[in-house]
Amino acid sequence: MTRTLTIDPITRIEGHAKITIQLDQNGVVEDTRFHVNEFRGFEKFCEGRLLWEMPGITSRICGICPSSHLITSAKAGDDIFAVEIPETAEQLRRLLTLGQWVQSHALSFFHLSSPDLLLGFDAPAATRNVFGLMSGHRELVRRGIRLRKFGQEIIEVLGGRRIHTPWAVAGGVREPLEAEKRNHLLAWIPEARETARMALDTLRKFEEGFRDNIPHFGTFRSLFVGLVSADGALEYYGGGLRIADSGGNVLEDHVDPRRYREFFAETTESWSYLKFPYYRPDGYPKGMYRVGPLARVNICDYIDTPLAEEERKAFKALAGDGEMVTNSFYYHHARLIELLFCIEKIEQLLSDPAILGTHIRANAMINRPEGIGASEAPRGTLFHHYWVNEDGVLQKVNMLIATGQNNLAMNRTINQIAAHYIDGSPITEGILNRIEAGIRMFDPCLSCSTHADGRMALHVQILNPDGSLRTEVRR
Amino acid sequence: MSGSLVIGYGNTLRSDDGAGVRAAELIRAAMPDVEVVVVSQLTPELAENISRHRHVVFLDASAQTDWQSLRVLPVDSGNPSSAPVTHAASPEQLLQLSESVYGTVPERTVLVTIPAVSFELGEALSPLTARRVVECVDWFRSELSDLPARPPRA
């Protein structure tokens, strides 16, 4: 008799989802599915709104990465205006993007993933959270909270508030940065850098002890996609798209993000609201690709900050011979390298006098009927594509969201984890948590990817082949 | 340890959902010496700020329909939560974080819920909620006057 395991909803992610695991008669995994069962439809209800409203509206998609939507929407507006924004405005947008990465990456590691890594996948679910970390890791938790606060302060200093700031606009930004506030942010750097290095050291220790298990956490070949600068450096705001395979072969390079539709297509499945983007030339589902920290650190030629570059070289040595690090578990590691990069880069930006410039906005009107903005959100490449009429009223909207682009890879990952740990023996809570953790490695933001609200809990159902409930566990 | 901290939270684009924010802004205007924070949602890093105050007031809208007045509810850190702290936290979780990370909690923490009836898109408050938001200022004055005096500096 076959049966189905359902994990619903998955905990410690941004949003609401479930996993079903179909077992065969011998209790071995036959199929797995990562279902996203929330829907909000931002693309549709943005139709009819004015272009000038879009940064403010789309930033409301998410409470975690609103600034990424804000920036990307403003860039789509720049494209429709056909303007180049002032240098200071770009520097300030870059700073906001980095603040977004810091707070999001800190949340992912210190709050969402550390309980698994430091307390163990088999620790009791009731204590496998940030409170459970307090007994042995108080300093790490305290530093994690502070680091996230640093990221939030950057956003607040620039945008006037921590969440849903309307500060970036088509053509630039609304307010410059004052010297006093710049100095306030600079004062954070030493502590933030130390925290990021401490997090990397903590993760390395865990990886050492977990080495035998890591190969079962989403190791497979795929394409990797992200932005790189003109000389191949890790990029987060501008640059061009690079698409590379697991062997390190670059298939497309320095592609103008406005050509994204030539390379990526989306399809849907009846069992999830999360779309399934794929690399168009390879078709679906062969065109699976990964975005986000693992992809970015893999595909760039170098990182232009010294500490992060040193970490990148060590990271790439995990694969060797120019190959990509193909194990999804290393999303955690790449995320922390990026965290270190952010802090170094923030210091660079803040130390540049140009950041205090006051020419921050280019004024223009509707000059193109269509515009595309792209940037690297914490979870991967984000595209906003708008079509407007001559008055700037949105006629059509398409958003290609980072989490969605990892959809195929997340499904592949949970299948691999489930197949390894479910072998016909009793299925423990710790095994189910490992499968959940497979999703958490990608740090998905389902609020963004379906543009919906989220909440967290865990509901595990084991169903008989006829769909009747066999047993269930809630936590 | 500082005096009072007021945290108003909610979505000001969803009508009465922004009542906590509006009330906090009124308190800030009326009493500039009080530290006021307005946020869309409660986030973990607020725990640090909370730990530095002896008196904390959370202001939030509530969709309860069986009462029409302000409700003042004590917030207790003594009920351990197994719920994960992500980008949004509850007042209880923030107190727990304050206690466990910083080793201290305010002497008094309350959640003031403001009755809310409309959550439609828009920035206007319903008449009932608007009245209760204004009442928050008087309530807060009364709350301050009832607080035990701070011990003299050593």
Side-chain angles (χ1 to χ4, degrees), chain A residues 12 14 60 63-64 107 111-112 126 129 131 134 138 141-142 145-146 148-149 152 162-164 456, chain B residues 11 13 40-41 43-46 48 52 81-87 93 96-97 99-103:
Chain A
R12 282 181 278 138
E14 303 304 334
R60 298 270 170 172
I64 280 289
L107 179 76
H111 292 251
L112 306 183
N129 52 48
F131 298 110
M134 292 311 302
R138 179 189 295 258
V141 174
R142 192 188 70 78
I145 290 173
R146 292 269 302 165
R148 184 171 137 86
K149 185 176 183 181
Q152 296 281 42
R162 295 178 182 189
I163 302 173
H164 302 143
M456 277 64 72
Chain B
N11 185 346
L13 297 183
S40 303
Q41 55 197 10
T43 50
E45 58 275 10
L46 285 170
E48 186 189 39
R52 290 189 277 105
S81 170
S82 62
V85 178
T86 58
H87 63 290
Q93 286 177 317
Q96 289 163 24
L97 269 182
E99 186 168 41
S100 58
V101 177
Y102 303 103

Side-chain angles (χ1 to χ4, degrees), chain B:
Chain B
M1 186 171 273
S2 303
S4 296
L5 170 66
V6 174
I7 301 173
Y9 58 104
N11 185 346
T12 55
L13 297 183
R14 297 302 293 264
S15 303
D16 291 349
D17 192 50
V21 171
R22 299 299 172 78
E25 287 170 341
L26 285 182
I27 290 171
R28 175 189 280 153
M31 286 166 273
D33 293 341
V34 172
E35 185 172 344
V36 173
V37 174
V38 294
V39 288
S40 303
Q41 55 197 10
L42 301 179
T43 50
E45 58 275 10
L46 285 170
E48 186 189 39
N49 203 352
I50 288 168
S51 73
R52 290 189 277 105
H53 289 81
R54 60 192 287 259
H55 175 224
V56 173
V57 173
F58 291 95
L59 296 168
D60 189 17
S62 173
Q64 297 287 339
T65 55
D66 54 348
W67 49 270
Q68 298 193 333
S69 57
L70 298 179
R71 296 180 78 184
V72 182
L73 309 168
V75 180
D76 186 3
S77 66
N79 300 316
S81 170
S82 62
V85 178
T86 58
H87 63 290
S90 67
E92 289 80 7
Q93 286 177 317
L94 291 182
L95 272 200
Q96 289 163 24
L97 269 182
S98 171
E99 186 168 41
S100 58
V101 177
Y102 303 103
T104 180
V105 291
E107 294 164 20
R108 175 175 165 78
T109 305
V110 294
L111 167 64
V112 178
T113 61
I114 304 164
V117 294
S118 170
F119 293 88
E120 297 303 313
L121 289 173
E123 297 182 79
L125 299 176
S126 66
L128 169 70
T129 302
R131 286 197 299 275
R132 298 298 173 258
V133 163
V134 172
E135 287 174 11
C136 281
V137 180
D138 288 336
W139 170 85
F140 186 68
R141 286 188 204 280
S142 167
E143 166 83 355
L144 287 183
S145 66
D146 290 344
L147 283 179
R150 300 184 68 176
R153 288 178 183 274

Side-chain angles (χ1 to χ4, degrees), chain A residues 177-321:
Chain A
L177 177 63
E178 297 168 5
E180 188 181 341
K181 291 177 177 174
R182 184 271 309 269
N183 296 341
H184 166 73
L185 295 176
L186 267 174
W188 275 89
I189 295 296
E191 176 190 337
R193 187 166 46 223
E194 191 178 336
T195 299
R197 298 187 83 170
M198 179 189 281
L200 267 163
D201 288 343
T202 301
L203 181 63
R204 263 191 287 267
K205 283 179 193 160
F206 174 81
E207 288 170 352
E208 199 57 43
F210 199 61
R211 193 161 300 283
D212 292 344
N213 289 275
I214 288 176
H216 309 296
F217 276 68
T219 303
F220 48 83
R221 300 182 80 76
S222 75
L223 300 177
F224 294 93
V225 174
L227 294 172
V228 294
S229 70
D231 62 352
L234 175 70
E235 180 54 68
Y236 55 97
Y237 175 83
L241 288 165
R242 175 173 285 178
I243 303 171
D245 67 19
S246 293
N249 304 300
V250 174
L251 309 184
E252 311 284 348
D253 209 6
H254 303 298
V255 172
D256 184 338
R258 285 181 287 194
R259 294 173 56 204
Y260 80 103
R261 284 198 148 186
E262 295 174 33
F263 301 98
F264 308 114
E266 298 175 279
T267 190
T268 58
E269 295 282 2
S270 61
W271 42 270
S272 179
Y273 280 124
L274 187 56
K275 291 182 204 171
F276 288 80
Y278 58 94
Y279 178 55
R280 192 185 287 275
D282 284 356
Y284 179 80
K286 187 170 174 245
M288 174 178 63
Y289 64 96
R290 284 179 271 189
V291 296
L294 184 68
R296 289 188 293 245
V297 175
N298 258 325
I299 64 171
C300 69
D301 298 328
Y302 73 103
I303 297 177
D304 64 350
T305 63
L307 296 176
E309 171 62 3
E310 194 179 315
E311 293 288 348
R312 185 197 69 85
K313 286 177 181 168
F315 177 82
K316 289 291 284 185
L318 292 168
D321 294 333

Side-chain angles (χ1 to χ4, degrees), chain A residues 25-26 32 80 91 120 247 249 259 292 330 349 371 381 444 474-475:
Chain A
Q25 294 175 346
N26 299 317
T32 56
I80 288 173
Q91 299 286 70
N249 304 300
R259 294 173 56 204
Y330 286 110
L349 283 172
T381 320
R474 292 176 188 271
R475 70 168 187 242

Side-chain angles (χ1 to χ4, degrees), chain A residues 107-127:
Chain A
L107 179 76
S108 173
F109 179 75
F110 293 98
H111 292 251
L112 306 183
S113 296
S114 284
D116 291 331
L117 306 181
L118 301 179
L119 302 175
F121 290 102
D122 297 306
T127 58

